PDB file of all heavy atoms in Angstrom:
ATOM      1  N   THR A 628      -4.266   6.348 -17.263  1.00 96.00           N
ATOM      2  CA  THR A 628      -5.165   7.495 -17.391  1.00 96.00           C
ATOM      3  C   THR A 628      -5.623   7.372 -18.914  1.00 96.00           C
ATOM      4  O   THR A 628      -4.881   6.962 -19.795  1.00 96.00           O
ATOM      5  CB  THR A 628      -4.482   8.826 -17.255  1.00 96.00           C
ATOM      6  OG1 THR A 628      -3.229   8.798 -18.014  1.00 96.00           O
ATOM      7  CG2 THR A 628      -4.119   9.095 -15.784  1.00 96.00           C
ATOM      8  N   ASP A 630      -7.505  10.507 -20.182  1.00 97.00           N
ATOM      9  CA  ASP A 630      -8.161  11.747 -19.828  1.00 97.00           C
ATOM     10  C   ASP A 630      -8.935  12.290 -20.990  1.00 97.00           C
ATOM     11  O   ASP A 630      -8.462  12.401 -22.136  1.00 97.00           O
ATOM     12  CB  ASP A 630      -7.095  12.806 -19.440  1.00 97.00           C
ATOM     13  CG  ASP A 630      -6.358  12.453 -18.129  1.00 97.00           C
ATOM     14  OD1 ASP A 630      -6.765  11.410 -17.494  1.00 97.00           O
ATOM     15  OD2 ASP A 630      -5.459  13.179 -17.736  1.00 97.00           O
ATOM     16  N   ALA A 631     -10.121  12.788 -20.674  1.00 98.00           N
ATOM     17  CA  ALA A 631     -10.995  13.513 -21.641  1.00 98.00           C
ATOM     18  C   ALA A 631     -12.176  13.988 -20.871  1.00 98.00           C
ATOM     19  O   ALA A 631     -12.655  13.316 -19.957  1.00 98.00           O
ATOM     20  CB  ALA A 631     -11.491  12.558 -22.737  1.00 98.00           C
ATOM     21  N   PRO A 632     -12.645  15.202 -21.156  1.00 98.00           N
ATOM     22  CA  PRO A 632     -13.847  15.703 -20.561  1.00 98.00           C
ATOM     23  C   PRO A 632     -15.027  14.675 -20.926  1.00 98.00           C
ATOM     24  O   PRO A 632     -14.960  14.027 -21.952  1.00 98.00           O
ATOM     25  CB  PRO A 632     -14.193  17.013 -21.227  1.00 98.00           C
ATOM     26  CG  PRO A 632     -12.932  17.395 -21.960  1.00 98.00           C
ATOM     27  CD  PRO A 632     -12.121  16.130 -22.236  1.00 98.00           C
ATOM     28  N   LYS A 635     -16.383  14.298 -24.340  1.00 98.00           N
ATOM     29  CA  LYS A 635     -15.572  13.636 -25.392  1.00 98.00           C
ATOM     30  C   LYS A 635     -15.169  12.235 -25.017  1.00 98.00           C
ATOM     31  O   LYS A 635     -14.604  11.531 -25.791  1.00 98.00           O
ATOM     32  CB  LYS A 635     -14.249  14.448 -25.588  1.00 98.00           C
ATOM     33  CG  LYS A 635     -14.504  15.832 -26.173  1.00 98.00           C
ATOM     34  CD  LYS A 635     -13.158  16.528 -26.427  1.00 98.00           C
ATOM     35  CE  LYS A 635     -13.254  17.961 -26.746  1.00 98.00           C
ATOM     36  NZ  LYS A 635     -12.000  18.708 -26.656  1.00 98.00           N
ATOM     37  N   SER A 675      -3.998   5.059  -4.498  1.00 98.00           N
ATOM     38  CA  SER A 675      -5.115   5.915  -5.086  1.00 98.00           C
ATOM     39  C   SER A 675      -4.497   7.226  -5.689  1.00 98.00           C
ATOM     40  O   SER A 675      -3.420   7.142  -6.311  1.00 98.00           O
ATOM     41  CB  SER A 675      -6.140   6.179  -3.956  1.00 98.00           C
ATOM     42  OG  SER A 675      -7.244   6.978  -4.503  1.00 98.00           O
ATOM     43  N   SER A 676      -5.208   8.307  -5.531  1.00 98.00           N
ATOM     44  CA  SER A 676      -4.666   9.570  -6.085  1.00 98.00           C
ATOM     45  C   SER A 676      -5.350  10.695  -5.438  1.00 98.00           C
ATOM     46  O   SER A 676      -6.531  10.672  -5.093  1.00 98.00           O
ATOM     47  CB  SER A 676      -4.967   9.641  -7.581  1.00 98.00           C
ATOM     48  OG  SER A 676      -4.843  10.879  -8.103  1.00 98.00           O
ATOM     49  N   VAL A 677      -4.614  11.861  -5.419  1.00 98.00           N
ATOM     50  CA  VAL A 677      -5.214  13.117  -4.940  1.00 98.00           C
ATOM     51  C   VAL A 677      -6.530  13.342  -5.772  1.00 98.00           C
ATOM     52  O   VAL A 677      -7.509  14.100  -5.290  1.00 98.00           O
ATOM     53  CB  VAL A 677      -4.181  14.314  -5.056  1.00 98.00           C
ATOM     54  CG1 VAL A 677      -3.819  14.629  -6.460  1.00 98.00           C
ATOM     55  CG2 VAL A 677      -4.768  15.567  -4.415  1.00 98.00           C
ATOM     56  N   ASN A 678      -6.502  13.048  -7.018  1.00 98.00           N
ATOM     57  CA  ASN A 678      -7.622  13.288  -7.908  1.00 98.00           C
ATOM     58  C   ASN A 678      -8.866  12.398  -7.535  1.00 98.00           C
ATOM     59  O   ASN A 678      -9.961  12.849  -7.905  1.00 98.00           O
ATOM     60  CB  ASN A 678      -7.247  13.186  -9.354  1.00 98.00           C
ATOM     61  CG  ASN A 678      -6.348  14.328  -9.763  1.00 98.00           C
ATOM     62  OD1 ASN A 678      -6.159  15.254  -8.989  1.00 98.00           O
ATOM     63  ND2 ASN A 678      -5.616  14.222 -10.905  1.00 98.00           N
ATOM     64  N   GLN A 683     -10.930  16.027 -10.831  1.00 98.00           N
ATOM     65  CA  GLN A 683     -10.063  16.645 -11.701  1.00 98.00           C
ATOM     66  C   GLN A 683     -10.718  16.815 -13.054  1.00 98.00           C
ATOM     67  O   GLN A 683     -11.228  15.820 -13.631  1.00 98.00           O
ATOM     68  CB  GLN A 683      -8.741  15.893 -11.880  1.00 98.00           C
ATOM     69  CG  GLN A 683      -7.797  16.357 -12.976  1.00 98.00           C
ATOM     70  CD  GLN A 683      -7.336  17.816 -12.633  1.00 98.00           C
ATOM     71  OE1 GLN A 683      -7.112  18.264 -11.656  1.00 98.00           O
ATOM     72  NE2 GLN A 683      -7.203  18.556 -13.840  1.00 98.00           N
ATOM     73  N   PHE A 684     -10.719  17.960 -13.619  1.00 97.00           N
ATOM     74  CA  PHE A 684     -11.197  18.192 -14.944  1.00 97.00           C
ATOM     75  C   PHE A 684     -10.620  17.164 -15.951  1.00 97.00           C
ATOM     76  O   PHE A 684      -9.398  17.047 -15.984  1.00 97.00           O
ATOM     77  CB  PHE A 684     -10.877  19.652 -15.427  1.00 97.00           C
ATOM     78  CG  PHE A 684     -11.598  20.106 -16.698  1.00 97.00           C
ATOM     79  CD1 PHE A 684     -12.666  20.847 -16.623  1.00 97.00           C
ATOM     80  CD2 PHE A 684     -11.115  19.601 -17.923  1.00 97.00           C
ATOM     81  CE1 PHE A 684     -13.291  21.303 -17.817  1.00 97.00           C
ATOM     82  CE2 PHE A 684     -11.697  19.991 -19.082  1.00 97.00           C
ATOM     83  CZ  PHE A 684     -12.772  20.907 -19.069  1.00 97.00           C
ATOM     84  N   GLY A 685     -11.409  16.450 -16.650  1.00 98.00           N
ATOM     85  CA  GLY A 685     -10.903  15.567 -17.601  1.00 98.00           C
ATOM     86  C   GLY A 685     -10.703  14.111 -17.074  1.00 98.00           C
ATOM     87  O   GLY A 685     -10.113  13.249 -17.752  1.00 98.00           O
ATOM     88  N   GLN A 686     -11.055  13.872 -15.828  1.00 98.00           N
ATOM     89  CA  GLN A 686     -10.766  12.561 -15.199  1.00 98.00           C
ATOM     90  C   GLN A 686     -11.988  11.954 -14.521  1.00 98.00           C
ATOM     91  O   GLN A 686     -11.803  11.406 -13.378  1.00 98.00           O
ATOM     92  CB  GLN A 686      -9.604  12.777 -14.190  1.00 98.00           C
ATOM     93  CG  GLN A 686      -8.262  12.948 -14.854  1.00 98.00           C
ATOM     94  CD  GLN A 686      -7.121  12.580 -13.990  1.00 98.00           C
ATOM     95  OE1 GLN A 686      -7.080  13.007 -12.850  1.00 98.00           O
ATOM     96  NE2 GLN A 686      -6.263  11.697 -14.430  1.00 98.00           N
ATOM     97  N   TYR A 689     -10.942   8.275 -14.134  1.00 98.00           N
ATOM     98  CA  TYR A 689      -9.839   8.058 -13.221  1.00 98.00           C
ATOM     99  C   TYR A 689     -10.219   8.358 -11.756  1.00 98.00           C
ATOM    100  O   TYR A 689      -9.986   7.636 -10.813  1.00 98.00           O
ATOM    101  CB  TYR A 689      -8.698   8.899 -13.685  1.00 98.00           C
ATOM    102  CG  TYR A 689      -7.373   8.741 -12.968  1.00 98.00           C
ATOM    103  CD1 TYR A 689      -6.462   7.772 -13.302  1.00 98.00           C
ATOM    104  CD2 TYR A 689      -7.003   9.536 -11.924  1.00 98.00           C
ATOM    105  CE1 TYR A 689      -5.256   7.609 -12.634  1.00 98.00           C
ATOM    106  CE2 TYR A 689      -5.766   9.476 -11.235  1.00 98.00           C
ATOM    107  CZ  TYR A 689      -4.869   8.462 -11.661  1.00 98.00           C
ATOM    108  OH  TYR A 689      -3.725   8.321 -11.052  1.00 98.00           O
ATOM    109  N   LYS A 693     -10.295   5.912  -8.642  1.00 98.00           N
ATOM    110  CA  LYS A 693      -9.382   6.078  -7.497  1.00 98.00           C
ATOM    111  C   LYS A 693     -10.235   6.410  -6.220  1.00 98.00           C
ATOM    112  O   LYS A 693      -9.895   6.059  -5.079  1.00 98.00           O
ATOM    113  CB  LYS A 693      -8.517   7.369  -7.748  1.00 98.00           C
ATOM    114  CG  LYS A 693      -7.516   7.085  -8.902  1.00 98.00           C
ATOM    115  CD  LYS A 693      -6.575   5.894  -8.452  1.00 98.00           C
ATOM    116  CE  LYS A 693      -5.405   5.736  -9.491  1.00 98.00           C
ATOM    117  NZ  LYS A 693      -4.539   4.629  -9.098  1.00 98.00           N
ATOM    118  N   PRO A 719      -1.134   9.580  -3.772  1.00 98.00           N
ATOM    119  CA  PRO A 719      -0.063  10.541  -4.201  1.00 98.00           C
ATOM    120  C   PRO A 719      -0.719  11.717  -4.975  1.00 98.00           C
ATOM    121  O   PRO A 719      -1.823  11.622  -5.553  1.00 98.00           O
ATOM    122  CB  PRO A 719       0.665   9.638  -5.278  1.00 98.00           C
ATOM    123  CG  PRO A 719       0.295   8.257  -4.967  1.00 98.00           C
ATOM    124  CD  PRO A 719      -1.138   8.269  -4.460  1.00 98.00           C
ATOM    125  N   GLY A 720      -0.070  12.806  -4.890  1.00 98.00           N
ATOM    126  CA  GLY A 720      -0.374  13.997  -5.649  1.00 98.00           C
ATOM    127  C   GLY A 720       0.292  13.808  -7.017  1.00 98.00           C
ATOM    128  O   GLY A 720       0.553  12.681  -7.430  1.00 98.00           O
ATOM    129  N   TYR A 721       0.600  14.872  -7.716  1.00 98.00           N
ATOM    130  CA  TYR A 721       1.232  14.853  -9.021  1.00 98.00           C
ATOM    131  C   TYR A 721       2.705  14.485  -8.791  1.00 98.00           C
ATOM    132  O   TYR A 721       3.483  15.169  -8.107  1.00 98.00           O
ATOM    133  CB  TYR A 721       1.063  16.177  -9.763  1.00 98.00           C
ATOM    134  CG  TYR A 721      -0.309  16.338 -10.346  1.00 98.00           C
ATOM    135  CD1 TYR A 721      -1.345  16.723  -9.507  1.00 98.00           C
ATOM    136  CD2 TYR A 721      -0.561  16.049 -11.618  1.00 98.00           C
ATOM    137  CE1 TYR A 721      -2.658  16.907 -10.036  1.00 98.00           C
ATOM    138  CE2 TYR A 721      -1.806  16.151 -12.217  1.00 98.00           C
ATOM    139  CZ  TYR A 721      -2.912  16.563 -11.336  1.00 98.00           C
ATOM    140  OH  TYR A 721      -4.105  16.646 -11.900  1.00 98.00           O
ATOM    141  N   THR A 722       3.080  13.323  -9.216  1.00 97.00           N
ATOM    142  CA  THR A 722       4.429  12.760  -9.007  1.00 97.00           C
ATOM    143  C   THR A 722       5.204  12.669 -10.245  1.00 97.00           C
ATOM    144  O   THR A 722       4.654  12.453 -11.373  1.00 97.00           O
ATOM    145  CB  THR A 722       4.244  11.334  -8.350  1.00 97.00           C
ATOM    146  OG1 THR A 722       3.312  11.454  -7.209  1.00 97.00           O
ATOM    147  CG2 THR A 722       5.515  10.761  -7.854  1.00 97.00           C
ATOM    148  N   MET A 726       3.575   9.180 -16.432  1.00 94.00           N
ATOM    149  CA  MET A 726       2.108   9.482 -16.538  1.00 94.00           C
ATOM    150  C   MET A 726       1.876  10.967 -16.485  1.00 94.00           C
ATOM    151  O   MET A 726       1.077  11.557 -17.219  1.00 94.00           O
ATOM    152  CB  MET A 726       1.372   8.701 -15.417  1.00 94.00           C
ATOM    153  CG  MET A 726      -0.133   9.004 -15.497  1.00 94.00           C
ATOM    154  SD  MET A 726      -0.931   8.253 -14.037  1.00 94.00           S
ATOM    155  CE  MET A 726      -1.226   6.601 -14.535  1.00 94.00           C
ATOM    156  N   VAL A 727       2.559  11.608 -15.513  1.00 95.00           N
ATOM    157  CA  VAL A 727       2.373  13.092 -15.335  1.00 95.00           C
ATOM    158  C   VAL A 727       3.083  13.818 -16.431  1.00 95.00           C
ATOM    159  O   VAL A 727       2.610  14.826 -16.940  1.00 95.00           O
ATOM    160  CB  VAL A 727       2.779  13.517 -13.969  1.00 95.00           C
ATOM    161  CG1 VAL A 727       2.928  14.959 -13.790  1.00 95.00           C
ATOM    162  CG2 VAL A 727       1.812  12.899 -12.885  1.00 95.00           C
ATOM    163  N   ILE A 730       1.182  14.733 -19.594  1.00 95.00           N
ATOM    164  CA  ILE A 730       0.176  15.834 -19.640  1.00 95.00           C
ATOM    165  C   ILE A 730       0.783  16.972 -20.480  1.00 95.00           C
ATOM    166  O   ILE A 730       1.980  17.211 -20.368  1.00 95.00           O
ATOM    167  CB  ILE A 730      -0.164  16.423 -18.204  1.00 95.00           C
ATOM    168  CG1 ILE A 730      -0.659  15.218 -17.257  1.00 95.00           C
ATOM    169  CG2 ILE A 730      -1.180  17.468 -18.266  1.00 95.00           C
ATOM    170  CD1 ILE A 730      -0.785  15.664 -15.800  1.00 95.00           C
ATOM    171  N   LYS A 731      -0.017  17.595 -21.250  1.00 95.00           N
ATOM    172  CA  LYS A 731       0.475  18.691 -22.098  1.00 95.00           C
ATOM    173  C   LYS A 731       1.269  19.722 -21.263  1.00 95.00           C
ATOM    174  O   LYS A 731       0.822  20.020 -20.138  1.00 95.00           O
ATOM    175  CB  LYS A 731      -0.624  19.449 -22.832  1.00 95.00           C
ATOM    176  CG  LYS A 731      -1.051  18.800 -24.077  1.00 95.00           C
ATOM    177  CD  LYS A 731      -1.851  19.709 -25.021  1.00 95.00           C
ATOM    178  CE  LYS A 731      -3.199  20.059 -24.381  1.00 95.00           C
ATOM    179  NZ  LYS A 731      -4.181  20.693 -25.110  1.00 95.00           N
ATOM    180  N   VAL A 734      -0.558  22.610 -19.554  1.00 95.00           N
ATOM    181  CA  VAL A 734      -1.493  22.234 -18.523  1.00 95.00           C
ATOM    182  C   VAL A 734      -0.690  21.767 -17.278  1.00 95.00           C
ATOM    183  O   VAL A 734      -1.031  22.184 -16.142  1.00 95.00           O
ATOM    184  CB  VAL A 734      -2.430  21.072 -19.075  1.00 95.00           C
ATOM    185  CG1 VAL A 734      -3.277  20.580 -17.970  1.00 95.00           C
ATOM    186  CG2 VAL A 734      -3.135  21.494 -20.326  1.00 95.00           C
ATOM    187  N   LYS A 737       0.681  24.663 -15.161  1.00 96.00           N
ATOM    188  CA  LYS A 737      -0.461  25.292 -14.545  1.00 96.00           C
ATOM    189  C   LYS A 737      -0.768  24.487 -13.272  1.00 96.00           C
ATOM    190  O   LYS A 737      -0.891  25.062 -12.155  1.00 96.00           O
ATOM    191  CB  LYS A 737      -1.708  25.318 -15.444  1.00 96.00           C
ATOM    192  CG  LYS A 737      -2.564  26.591 -15.058  1.00 96.00           C
ATOM    193  CD  LYS A 737      -3.674  26.788 -16.011  1.00 96.00           C
ATOM    194  CE  LYS A 737      -4.803  27.413 -15.272  1.00 96.00           C
ATOM    195  NZ  LYS A 737      -6.038  27.156 -15.919  1.00 96.00           N
ATOM    196  N   ILE A 738      -0.768  23.162 -13.403  1.00 96.00           N
ATOM    197  CA  ILE A 738      -1.001  22.350 -12.183  1.00 96.00           C
ATOM    198  C   ILE A 738       0.081  22.489 -11.124  1.00 96.00           C
ATOM    199  O   ILE A 738      -0.201  22.686  -9.960  1.00 96.00           O
ATOM    200  CB  ILE A 738      -1.114  20.819 -12.607  1.00 96.00           C
ATOM    201  CG1 ILE A 738      -2.387  20.675 -13.417  1.00 96.00           C
ATOM    202  CG2 ILE A 738      -1.128  19.966 -11.418  1.00 96.00           C
ATOM    203  CD1 ILE A 738      -2.537  19.311 -14.123  1.00 96.00           C
TER     204      ILE A 738
HETATM  205  N1  CAA B1406     -10.760  23.506 -15.468  1.00 90.06           N
HETATM  206  C1  CAA B1406     -11.713  24.152 -16.059  1.00 90.06           C
HETATM  207  N2  CAA B1406     -11.828  24.174 -17.450  1.00 90.06           N
HETATM  208  C2  CAA B1406     -10.987  23.588 -18.152  1.00 90.06           C
HETATM  209  C3  CAA B1406      -9.860  22.875 -17.585  1.00 90.06           C
HETATM  210  C4  CAA B1406      -9.793  22.895 -16.137  1.00 90.06           C
HETATM  211  N3  CAA B1406      -8.774  22.312 -15.454  1.00 90.06           N
HETATM  212  N4  CAA B1406      -9.138  22.317 -18.549  1.00 90.06           N
HETATM  213  C5  CAA B1406      -9.683  22.662 -19.708  1.00 90.06           C
HETATM  214  N5  CAA B1406     -10.789  23.445 -19.445  1.00 90.06           N
HETATM  215  C6  CAA B1406     -11.770  23.971 -20.452  1.00 90.06           C
HETATM  216  C7  CAA B1406     -11.038  24.707 -21.538  1.00 90.06           C
HETATM  217  O1  CAA B1406     -10.751  26.069 -21.053  1.00 90.06           O
HETATM  218  C8  CAA B1406     -11.915  24.641 -22.652  1.00 90.06           C
HETATM  219  O2  CAA B1406     -12.985  25.637 -22.498  1.00 90.06           O
HETATM  220  P1  CAA B1406     -13.644  26.301 -23.791  1.00 90.06           P
HETATM  221  O3  CAA B1406     -14.261  25.137 -24.551  1.00 90.06           O
HETATM  222  O4  CAA B1406     -14.627  27.184 -23.218  1.00 90.06           O
HETATM  223  O5  CAA B1406     -12.502  26.977 -24.507  1.00 90.06           O
HETATM  224  C9  CAA B1406     -12.549  23.288 -22.492  1.00 90.06           C
HETATM  225  O6  CAA B1406     -12.363  22.911 -21.105  1.00 90.06           O
HETATM  226  C10 CAA B1406     -11.934  22.245 -23.401  1.00 90.06           C
HETATM  227  O7  CAA B1406     -10.492  22.321 -23.223  1.00 90.06           O
HETATM  228  P2  CAA B1406      -9.452  21.585 -24.116  1.00 90.06           P
HETATM  229  O8  CAA B1406      -9.668  21.942 -25.548  1.00 90.06           O
HETATM  230  O9  CAA B1406      -8.133  21.756 -23.504  1.00 90.06           O
HETATM  231  O10 CAA B1406      -9.949  20.063 -23.903  1.00 90.06           O
HETATM  232  P3  CAA B1406      -9.220  18.849 -24.394  1.00 90.06           P
HETATM  233  O11 CAA B1406     -10.266  17.847 -24.604  1.00 90.06           O
HETATM  234  O12 CAA B1406      -8.236  19.135 -25.404  1.00 90.06           O
HETATM  235  O13 CAA B1406      -8.311  18.427 -23.087  1.00 90.06           O
HETATM  236  C11 CAA B1406      -7.846  17.496 -21.045  1.00 90.06           C
HETATM  237  C12 CAA B1406      -8.815  18.249 -21.861  1.00 90.06           C
HETATM  238  C13 CAA B1406      -7.197  16.311 -21.737  1.00 90.06           C
HETATM  239  C14 CAA B1406      -8.584  16.850 -19.871  1.00 90.06           C
HETATM  240  C15 CAA B1406      -6.798  18.496 -20.522  1.00 90.06           C
HETATM  241  O14 CAA B1406      -7.337  19.556 -19.958  1.00 90.06           O
HETATM  242  C16 CAA B1406      -5.827  17.819 -19.523  1.00 90.06           C
HETATM  243  O15 CAA B1406      -4.889  17.130 -20.021  1.00 90.06           O
HETATM  244  N6  CAA B1406      -6.006  18.138 -18.277  1.00 90.06           N
HETATM  245  C17 CAA B1406      -5.184  17.627 -17.204  1.00 90.06           C
HETATM  246  C18 CAA B1406      -5.834  16.407 -16.664  1.00 90.06           C
HETATM  247  C19 CAA B1406      -5.026  15.858 -15.535  1.00 90.06           C
HETATM  248  O16 CAA B1406      -4.673  16.507 -14.555  1.00 90.06           O
HETATM  249  N7  CAA B1406      -4.614  14.589 -15.598  1.00 90.06           N
HETATM  250  C20 CAA B1406      -3.838  14.016 -14.578  1.00 90.06           C
HETATM  251  C21 CAA B1406      -2.957  12.911 -15.227  1.00 90.06           C
HETATM  252  S1  CAA B1406      -1.706  12.339 -14.147  1.00 90.06           S
HETATM  253  C22 CAA B1406      -2.531  11.511 -13.036  1.00 90.06           C
HETATM  254  O17 CAA B1406      -3.718  11.267 -13.103  1.00 90.06           O
HETATM  255  C23 CAA B1406      -1.741  11.060 -11.852  1.00 90.06           C
HETATM  256  C24 CAA B1406      -2.375  11.456 -10.612  1.00 90.06           C
HETATM  257  O18 CAA B1406      -2.910  10.600  -9.913  1.00 90.06           O
HETATM  258  C25 CAA B1406      -2.304  12.827 -10.122  1.00 90.06           C
END
Side-chain angles (χ1 to χ4, degrees):
T628 53
D630 294 353
K635 296 184 189 166
S675 181
S676 164
V677 65
N678 291 346
Q683 171 61 36
F684 190 102
Q686 287 203 308
Y689 186 86
K693 294 298 188 181
Y721 284 81
T722 309
M726 181 187 274
V727 167
I730 304 171
K731 274 196 295 188
V734 177
K737 208 171 149 206
I738 291 169

